[in-house]
Amino acid sequence: MKTTTEHPLLSRAEKLCEQRNVRLTPQRLEVLRLMSQENGAISAYDLLDLLRQSEPQAKPTTIYRALDFLLEQGFVHRVESTNSFVLCHHFSELSHASVFFICDRCGQVTEQIAQGIDEILQHMASSDDFTLSHNVVEAHGFCPKCSEVKACQYPNVCTHDHKVIKNTKSLSL
């Protein structure tokens, strides 16, 4: 297993777990490390496949438990519409509302802090006497690279990189 000093995010996660008096086990840390190497979201089964490269005995429950812990600590987010998970780059902040921009062509997921969205959602919910427990804002469309491809009049002969969405297995949690 690699040391956490290779990625500052992992070191911050370790420190936060110490402060919170929760245990970041080697398996949980390895799952977080694997997620830190992804450019976007990853399904639980794809994550399990990666984990099995270093821990061949890993089972789906290994991933379930690790992801549950990482979600609880705010280190990762679940992307509801794609049943996948993405590393949170803002987990040091006590609470934040995020918006996920999901590319429908390549699957890239980017997170942005959504200033003021909590207040808007609270206001909308309270007008219906609804109590929010959590919220997820996801927007689908095309990343800049895929927008170029989509706008291309002759995609079969142009010079754009035509990346195809890879099939991901999903694991219900």
Side-chain angles (χ1 to χ4, degrees):
M1 193 172 306
K2 297 182 181 177
T3 63
T4 57
T5 55
E6 72 183 56
H7 199 295
L9 223 52
L10 300 178
S11 295
R12 283 195 325 213
E14 282 184 316
K15 288 176 187 165
L16 278 173
C17 285
E18 284 178 28
Q19 292 170 2
R20 295 172 180 171
N21 202 26
V22 294
R23 191 160 174 251
L24 184 61
T25 64
Q27 278 185 333
R28 292 170 177 170
L29 184 60
E30 179 64 5
V31 170
L32 189 60
R33 185 188 71 77
L34 291 169
M35 292 189 72
S36 73
Q37 296 176 336
E38 292 294 314
N39 287 332
I42 184 170
S43 73
Y45 265 120
D46 288 342
L47 199 51
L48 178 60
D49 289 343
L50 291 174
L51 182 61
R52 284 183 173 157
Q53 292 174 11
S54 62
E55 298 184 31
Q57 77 287 358
K59 306 272 187 255
T61 54
T62 306
I63 292 296
Y64 289 135
R65 290 179 185 139
L67 287 171
D68 284 346
F69 174 83
L70 297 173
L71 284 164
E72 184 179 288
Q73 296 305 313
F75 299 150
V76 300
H77 295 291
R78 182 177 181 158
V79 182
E80 304 284 338
S81 64
T82 61
N83 196 23
S84 59
F85 301 86
V86 67
L87 182 71
C88 176
H89 292 273
H90 310 283
F91 62 74
S92 295
E93 299 171 30
L94 291 176
S95 68
H96 63 277
S98 296
V99 174
F100 299 110
F101 293 97
I102 304 157
C103 180
D104 289 329
R105 183 174 179 86
C106 71
Q108 176 184 333
V109 177
T110 56
E111 175 187 10
Q112 288 190 16
I113 301 274
Q115 296 293 336
I117 203 156
D118 279 336
E119 293 82 15
I120 293 169
L121 290 172
Q122 277 298 355
H123 177 72
M124 292 171 71
S126 66
S127 69
D128 284 339
D129 292 326
F130 186 82
T131 304
L132 285 176
S133 61
H134 79 285
N135 62 65
V136 177
V137 179
E138 300 180 13
H140 287 260
F142 298 99
C143 70
K145 192 173 187 179
C146 291
S147 289
E148 283 182 27
V149 173
K150 187 176 184 316
C152 183
Q153 189 174 7
Y154 305 103
N156 294 331
V157 293
C158 77
T159 58
H160 295 116
D161 178 20
H162 294 275
K163 184 177 179 184
V164 179
I165 300 173
K166 71 174 187 176
N167 281 335
T168 56
K169 303 173 224 165
S170 64
L171 178 67
S172 299
L173 294 179

